[in-house]
Amino acid sequence: VARPDLPLPSDRVWTDPEKLAPYARDEASTGKLPLAVAFPVDASEVAAVMRWASAHRVPVIPRGAGSGLSGAAVPLADAVVLSLEKMNRILSIDPENMTATVEPGVITGDIRRAAAAAGLLYAPIPASLDFCTIGGNVATNAGGLCAVKYGVTREHVLGLEAVLPTGETIVTGGALAKNSTAYNLTQLLCGSEGTLAVIVKIILKLLPLPAETVTMLAPFDSVDALAKAVVTVVSGKVIPATMELLPRAAVRCVLAKHPEYSYPFPEKVASLLLELDGMDANLVAEQATAVAAILQAHGAGEPVVATTPARRAELWTLRKQVRDSIAHTAPYVEADAVVPRAKLPDLVRAADAAGVAAGLEQITYGHAGDGNLHTYFWRGTHDDVAWARASEIALTHLFTATVALGGTLSGEHGLGHLKRDYLPLALAPETIALMKRLKAAFDPAGILNPHKVFP
Ligand SMILES: Cc1cc2nc3c(=O)[nH]c(=O)nc-3n(C[C@H](O)[C@H](O)[C@H](O)COP(=O)(O)OP(=O)(O)OC[C@H]3O[C@@H](n4cnc5c(N)ncnc54)[C@H](O)[C@@H]3O)c2cc1C
């Protein structure tokens, strides 16, 4: 297909190679230049594009903001990119049912702000909050910074409208507190990485907005001690919203990129960023005292505690820059392994061991409270061939250890094409075969986001 004759007005079909280039990549990989990028403005236009694609057997790659970290939104062969960015309306915030109904291209942070204006909380906070879309969050089942207490995106999705690769529209779930009617297609589409259907409308669950929040940053002399402290805090029946591991190497990357930042513990081996929230100020303060005591019993230094929005934002500033600072320091390959929380100290050791086995330096940081850490293995001075081999050794080593710990390959980023080949390490052939049959049931012609998820 030289210049696809897509059924949209010409100003919403781009074919100029310079304009297409950003749509060939996400935050982790670059694929092939798309044949075109299509910008539908409503569900009927998405359906028209999918009917056209189905008739012409042209692959289609749904795309939100392209902030993904697994190469899931990049074309790997001739394909049209279907950008949902113009479908960006918050359709309703419903305080009586405590729901929000939104289009997929809404920036996640805008949903949080709109809910907060009504005294409500849309809970998930991916660190990419200010630029990723809710459609991308649903399609990757994004996690983020407060999943310890609130869970991941999937737990906040009540219903969806989605367009199948054939162009038919389905409605799943609804603005319902309960639903046991037949199969749960809503949850199947959450985390399906744009391979089953194009999500065109989302009904989200909202919660009461917490009245009180306390943020603390506690320094540790060892990552192992920090990991054990995390496990003890949660098993002590206080569930913080956030528990983030910031190792010294990550702090150094951020400070190198942002020398203007101040950080209270730049020389400490690791810090734990922890946040507690709730409705009752006294209760939250009591919990903060109890948690600080547990951390200190595990060897933490005196934590810095912040209760005002301005002071809390200061403690968060550095954490929000970690991923970008690491990614822009040097070439890397990244893992998003997740283990049962109690195995967190073992995951930290497994990441170390994987680096040693591959001969690569690594930084491991992230969502300690979820047992979900991001490990960045640096390329160093390896040439292309040595780097390909070393990165495969590192990932194979880490994923094998993760699975042996009862964990799995991805806690929140998905597999895309960058991790798809490791799937057999995590799932049995029967399970993968069933998933492929599901894919074929949704997408008999195999045109929706092909070459993703499966080896
Ligand atoms: C600095 C930084 C921090 C990050 N922090 C986090 C974090 O804390 N937690 C986390 O989980 N992720 C994080 N991410 C990764 C990324 O932001 C998430 O994966 C996010 O959910 C992707 O959203 P997006 O709109 O950019 O989707 P894209 O990257 O455009 O697409 C991701 C996948 O979703 C599919 N998709 C997108 N929209 C639709 C749709 N409407 N229908 C069907 N499929 C669709 C695509 O086909 C693709 O498979 C971070 C990324 C960066 C760069």
Side-chain angles (χ1 to χ4, degrees):
V1 183
R3 188 187 164 90
D5 185 20
L6 281 147
L8 294 186
S10 58
D11 60 328
R12 289 195 276 106
V13 179
W14 290 2
T15 51
D16 171 357
E18 269 180 33
K19 286 164 112 182
L20 299 184
Y23 294 86
R25 48 181 188 259
D26 68 359
E27 284 290 326
S29 78
T30 300
K32 196 165 188 269
L33 214 57
L35 300 168
V37 184
F39 299 92
V41 293
D42 61 28
S44 69
E45 289 194 351
V46 173
V49 169
M50 291 318 304
R51 279 194 299 274
W52 173 91
S54 205
H56 293 83
R57 290 287 192 271
V58 177
V60 171
I61 320 287
R63 181 181 176 100
S67 73
L69 299 177
S70 63
V74 307
L76 298 175
D78 280 351
V80 167
V81 166
L82 184 69
S83 169
L84 283 309
E85 68 197 79
K86 291 195 191 301
M87 291 178 62
N88 60 359
R89 288 176 304 160
I90 296 177
L91 300 171
S92 69
I93 301 282
D94 176 350
E96 289 181 339
N97 290 307
M98 294 180 70
T99 56
T101 302
V102 301
E103 290 184 329
V106 181
I107 300 297
T108 310
D110 290 341
I111 300 174
R112 274 179 69 89
R113 280 183 283 278
L120 295 167
L121 174 73
Y122 173 64
I125 317 179
S128 47
L129 180 80
D130 293 329
F131 47 89
C132 66
T133 68
I134 188 69
N137 292 174
V138 174
T140 56
N141 189 24
L145 302 167
C146 65
V148 192
K149 176 171 177 178
Y150 292 106
V152 296
T153 301
R154 166 175 281 148
E155 284 146 89
H156 303 267
V157 180
L158 298 174
L160 295 171
E161 188 175 313
V163 175
L164 299 177
T166 46
E168 301 148 276
T169 297
I170 59 165
V171 174
T172 74
L176 302 168
K178 305 169 83 171
N179 188 341
S180 296
T181 307
Y183 296 161
N184 191 337
L185 297 178
T186 308
Q187 297 299 307
L188 179 60
L189 292 182
C190 291
S192 62
E193 299 190 53
T195 63
L196 298 182
V198 183
I199 295 157
V200 292
K201 195 194 281 181
I202 305 159
I203 303 174
L204 296 165
K205 176 165 82 179
L206 302 178
L207 300 169
L209 191 65
E212 299 297 329
T213 306
V214 173
T215 308
M216 62 173 87
L217 188 70
F220 282 82
D221 289 323
S222 94
V223 177
D224 191 58
L226 182 152
K228 287 178 178 149
V230 165
V231 176
T232 309
V233 168
V234 181
S235 56
K237 302 188 181 57
V238 175
I239 312 287
T242 298
M243 297 177 98
E244 293 287 309
L245 158 65
L246 287 157
R248 181 168 54 201
V251 171
R252 284 184 176 160
C253 283
V254 182
L255 293 178
K257 191 160 180 254
H258 297 280
E260 73 279 13
Y261 288 0
S262 68
Y263 192 71
F265 315 116
E267 294 312 321
K268 282 291 185 177
V269 172
S271 328
L272 179 68
L273 179 68
L274 187 148
E275 195 154 274
L276 291 152
D277 64 11
M279 287 299 172
D280 179 334
N282 290 334
L283 182 61
V284 175
E286 265 172 40
Q287 290 179 334
T289 307
V291 165
I294 294 174
L295 301 183
Q296 287 178 287
H298 280 271
E302 179 86 29
V304 175
V305 178
T307 50
T308 63
R311 286 284 294 126
R312 289 182 39 237
E314 272 175 39
L315 292 187
W316 272 103
T317 303
L318 186 136
R319 168 61 186 92
K320 289 194 173 155
Q321 294 303 324
V322 167
R323 198 271 157 191
D324 264 1
S325 301
I326 292 179
H328 292 130
T329 299
Y332 63 87
V333 65
E334 181 254 3
D336 166 42
V338 57
V339 294
R341 189 189 297 111
K343 302 279 188 183
L344 186 68
D346 306 82
L347 178 58
V348 171
R349 282 191 286 276
D352 273 345
V356 172
L360 297 174
E361 282 188 40
Q362 55 83 22
I363 292 185
T364 296
Y365 78 95
H367 315 305
D370 308 327
N372 176 210
L373 297 178
H374 303 320
T375 302
Y376 281 70
F377 298 97
W378 303 109
R379 174 168 174 157
T381 55
H382 290 75
D383 65 23
D384 287 353
V385 176
W387 170 233
R389 223 177 95 71
S391 48
E392 196 191 330
I393 292 171
L395 290 183
T396 304
H397 210 283
L398 178 53
F399 288 147
T400 304
T402 301
V403 171
L405 291 169
T408 195
L409 310 182
S410 173
E412 54 178 29
H413 297 160
L415 303 185
H417 74 93
L418 293 174
K419 311 292 159 47
R420 66 182 179 196
D421 291 343
Y422 300 93
L423 185 60
L425 291 177
L427 298 182
E430 299 78 7
T431 312
I432 297 175
L434 174 61
M435 288 183 175
K436 286 186 169 171
R437 291 201 296 278
L438 283 170
K439 164 72 175 163
F442 275 79
D443 184 14
I447 56 162
L448 195 62
N449 210 2
H451 318 295
K452 308 291 165 57
V453 180
F454 300 111

